[in-house]
Amino acid sequence: MNLAEWLKVLLLGIVEGITEWLPISSTGHMILIEELVHLNVSNEFMEMFRVVIQLGAILAVVVLYFKKLWPFTTPEKGWVKKETWSLWFKVLAAVLPAALIGIPFDDKIDALFYNYQTVAVTLIVYGVLFIVIENRNRGQRPIVRSFRQLSYSMAFFIGAFQVLALIPGTSRSGATILGAMLLGLSRPIAAEFSFFLGIPVMFGASLLKLVKFGFDFTGTEISILIVGMAVAFVVSILAIRFLMGYIRKHDFKAFGYYRIVLGIAVLTYFLLFG
């Protein structure tokens, strides 16, 4: 591949790393970028790449939150951290809805909704919802301010909101954060639970895409995957730190306005030039 193609891979990794954790839809942005920047690979590889590149992003969560997520401790403390195991069981409870719907209907959902019209509409709709929910919650004290206060039923319903993210442009983090805030979670806990929920979901989705694609990669395809994931990992570290610092002082309405503006811009662009 020439330099221009590698710059495209770099751009895709940067976009994935930023948009995976901010509630603005990574898949939606990847679709839009691909309309303007075409990587010289097969359609089958590209379909797999845009999902598997998320492994780089999810490794950033594992690295940043390793101490909170690692469920084992020293013999003096009894080997296991009960609160961490409880958190993981809540994550698994939240994964169930997406697994039950996403696995059997993955191809049908892609065929029906993987287009700019869907992305534009969902960007706008969920942008409005962010603004509405933040206005509704103004002045209210969150019910859940720690993972210990998060019940299994709450976790399951947050996972049900994640099902909405199967539609491109919705944003997995956006859907789960919105659902969590509706249930009374504080912004930091809602965001972190969204991060943790992404670990099994993204690993599962990536494995599914790899199995469907097969493991017969060329040397260039392997290089593209590695570079894309590495860039997504580094950028995700920065994006997660930015988001957690931002929401401790601000609400999510800025992301809502961004989504609305971007959605309108996408519709305008494709209606005029598509």
Side-chain angles (χ1 to χ4, degrees):
M1 290 206 317
N2 57 36
L3 178 60
E5 291 298 300
W6 286 115
L7 289 175
K8 293 176 186 177
V9 176
L10 180 66
L11 175 62
L12 291 170
I14 292 171
V15 171
E16 166 62 26
I18 293 173
T19 60
E20 186 61 53
W21 307 113
L22 305 186
I24 54 178
S25 177
S26 62
T27 303
H29 279 75
M30 292 290 275
I31 290 175
L32 301 177
I33 289 293
E34 288 168 32
E35 289 287 343
L36 305 173
V37 177
H38 301 283
L39 195 60
N40 189 23
V41 295
S42 68
N43 291 334
E44 293 77 15
F45 176 82
M46 198 64 213
E47 181 182 343
M48 179 273 300
F49 173 77
R50 69 172 67 99
V51 175
V52 176
I53 193 177
Q54 296 174 345
L55 288 177
I58 202 62
L59 285 175
V61 173
V62 175
V63 170
L64 286 173
Y65 291 96
F66 184 80
K67 289 183 179 179
K68 184 175 288 189
L69 294 172
W70 183 246
F72 301 104
T73 184
T74 60
E76 295 79 16
K77 296 181 179 179
W79 288 109
V80 298
K81 294 187 285 186
K82 293 181 180 179
E83 285 192 18
T84 304
W85 279 105
S86 175
L87 173 59
W88 273 114
F89 286 132
K90 290 169 185 176
V91 167
L92 292 177
V95 167
L96 289 176
L100 291 173
I101 295 175
I103 293 174
F105 296 107
D106 178 62
D107 290 334
K108 290 183 178 179
I109 290 170
D110 278 353
L112 286 172
F113 300 113
Y114 211 88
N115 53 68
Y116 80 87
Q117 296 96 330
T118 300
V119 170
V121 170
T122 51
L123 281 170
I124 294 169
V125 168
Y126 286 92
V128 172
L129 286 175
F130 264 115
I131 296 168
V132 169
I133 291 171
E134 284 288 14
N135 286 337
R136 191 205 74 161
N137 288 352
R138 185 186 301 160
Q140 295 184 15
R141 185 173 176 83
I143 299 171
V144 177
R145 297 183 296 279
S146 72
F147 288 113
R148 186 180 298 177
Q149 295 174 304
L150 178 66
S151 69
Y152 284 94
S153 60
M154 282 182 172
F156 181 84
F157 282 115
I158 293 170
F161 277 94
Q162 183 176 235
V163 173
L164 299 171
L166 295 172
I167 308 299
T170 299
S171 170
R172 189 200 59 79
S173 62
T176 52
I177 288 171
L178 278 174
M181 289 173 61
L182 282 171
L183 292 171
L185 274 69
S186 68
R187 293 189 193 96
I189 294 298
E192 287 190 355
F193 192 68
S194 173
F195 299 160
F196 303 157
L197 185 52
I199 296 174
V201 169
M202 290 184 194
F203 272 112
S206 298
L207 179 60
L208 183 63
K209 288 294 184 184
L210 283 170
V211 170
K212 288 181 177 179
F213 180 80
F215 294 89
D216 187 19
F217 296 102
T218 66
T220 299
E221 289 172 339
I222 292 174
S223 299
I224 290 172
L225 277 176
I226 291 174
V227 171
M229 288 190 292
V231 173
F233 169 79
V234 173
V235 176
S236 289
I237 294 281
L238 301 175
I240 291 169
R241 286 177 172 169
F242 162 77
L243 180 63
M244 295 309 297
Y246 179 87
I247 61 176
R248 288 189 177 95
K249 299 178 181 179
H250 307 88
D251 59 27
F252 283 102
K253 286 198 287 187
F255 298 108
Y257 291 121
Y258 171 83
R259 292 178 64 106
I260 293 169
V261 171
L262 181 61
I264 293 171
V266 169
L267 281 177
T268 303
Y269 174 83
F270 283 103
L271 286 173
L272 294 177
F273 306 107

